[in-house]
């Protein structure tokens, strides 16, 4: 994860383009560290989260999951869960404005983290996919409680039950994103304009407004995030998940040989 700062904004860039910016343990740790660094830096007023290359994020790094299949190291699994939990709770509780600049397809945690950002802007070619049931796991990131209120029941079922993608246009109509731009350059310009507007506002007023808005979130959100993660941990230990990941990894290997 790259941390850069300019004009009152800190930018956290997911920087594993060869892996489509998939999240591994190190990514979770560095995202948490970056958010905490920005939180405690008084010169930072806004945080931007984006990706390098063609993807925003391909979600969880399945290579890391596959490497742990059959590994009975419960301490390693618990450490992994703690890193995910730390990242999500840090983002949920983050007091400054967060803008997500979604520069390409978003999958899994790359989608659910957007639920905790104040602004989400994307390029037109973006798709949002939460393939939890396809993998044999369960919704995470608070999506089971937040998706119905954000995108409605129909799209929630479409994404969380069928594991079907949501297009940029659907995301805009549902209110999941605030703007759809035709190119990455236009996306960057749109984000830059938003940052300029936000850093020009009185900081205490801005922080208070965000706090009041976030006070309307479900009281159980943090507990739901923890409960979802516990369910995911149980499901990843089952043969259904291992079989699905094995098939996906075999398919990926076959495609790489073409």
């Amino acid at each position: 994860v790259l941390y850069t700062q300019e004009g009152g904004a800190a930018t956290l860039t997911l920087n594993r383009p060869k892996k489509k910016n998939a999240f591994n343990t190190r990514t979770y740790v560095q995202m948490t560290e970056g958010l905490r660094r920005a939180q405690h830096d008084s010169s930072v007023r806004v945080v931007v989260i984006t990706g390098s290359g063609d993807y925003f994020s391909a979600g969880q790094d399945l290579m890391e999951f596959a490497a742990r299949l059959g590994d009975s190291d419960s301490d390693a699994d618990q450490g992994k869960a703690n890193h995910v939990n730390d990242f999500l709770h840090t983002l949920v509780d983050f007091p400054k404005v967060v803008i997500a600049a979604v520069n390409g397809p978003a999958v899994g945690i790359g989608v659910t983290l957007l639920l905790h950002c104040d602004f989400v802007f994307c390029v037109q070619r973006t798709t949002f996919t939460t393939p939890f049931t396809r993998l044999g796991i369960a919704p995470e990131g608070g999506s089971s409680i937040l998706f119905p209120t954000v995108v409605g029941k129909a799209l929630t079922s479409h994404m969380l039950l069928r594991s079907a993608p949501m297009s940029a246009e659907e995301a805009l109509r549902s209110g999941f994103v605030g703007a759809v731009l035709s190119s990455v350059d236009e996306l960057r310009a749109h984000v830059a304009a938003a940052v300029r507007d936000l850093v020009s506002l009185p900081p205490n007023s801005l922080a208070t407004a965000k706090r009041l808005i976030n006070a309307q979130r479900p009281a159980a959100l943090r507990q739901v995030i923890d409960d979802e993660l516990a369910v995911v941990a149980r499901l990843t230990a089952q043969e259904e998940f291992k079989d699905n990941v094995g098939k996906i990894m075999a398919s990926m290997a076959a495609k790489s040989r073409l």
Side-chain angles (χ1 to χ4, degrees), residues 142 145 217-227:
I145 194 172
R217 295 178 303 189
L221 176 58
R222 291 167 184 77
Q223 186 60 52
V224 168
I225 289 173
D226 294 345
D227 291 345

Side-chain angles (χ1 to χ4, degrees), residues 211-248:
R211 186 168 63 251
L212 290 170
I213 292 169
N214 285 352
Q216 308 309 310
R217 295 178 303 189
L221 176 58
R222 291 167 184 77
Q223 186 60 52
V224 168
I225 289 173
D226 294 345
D227 291 345
E228 287 174 342
L229 191 57
V231 172
V232 169
R234 288 198 299 271
L235 291 175
T236 58
Q238 296 182 3
E239 290 304 316
E240 184 177 70
F241 170 76
K242 295 177 182 180
D243 289 344
N244 285 338
V245 170
K247 291 174 184 177
I248 292 170

Side-chain angles (χ1 to χ4, degrees), residues 60-147:
Q60 174 62 45
D61 188 341
L62 291 182
M63 293 290 289
E64 185 176 74
F65 258 137
R68 296 209 320 272
L69 293 183
D71 188 348
S72 60
D73 187 349
S74 60
D75 289 340
D77 287 342
Q78 184 59 48
K80 167 76 174 182
N82 288 341
H83 293 318
V84 178
N85 192 294
D86 286 347
F87 165 63
L88 288 170
H89 280 277
T90 301
L91 183 58
V92 167
D93 296 333
F94 195 71
K96 299 180 181 181
V97 173
V98 180
I99 300 174
V102 185
N103 56 297
V107 180
I109 188 69
V111 176
T112 57
L113 74 85
L114 302 175
L115 291 164
H116 311 296
C117 297
D118 303 293
F119 298 90
V120 181
F121 308 129
C122 73
V123 292
Q124 192 152 12
R125 63 184 180 83
T126 300
T127 53
F128 302 90
T129 311
T130 49
F132 305 128
T133 56
R134 196 173 301 281
L135 285 170
I137 57 173
E140 43 83 335
S143 56
S144 65
I145 194 172
L146 291 180
F147 260 171

Side-chain angles (χ1 to χ4, degrees), residues 122 124-126 128 166-174 177 180:
C122 73
Q124 192 152 12
R125 63 184 180 83
T126 300
F128 302 90
M166 174 172 63
S167 69
E169 291 77 12
E170 288 173 317
L172 182 63
R173 287 197 300 269
S174 70
V177 304
V180 176

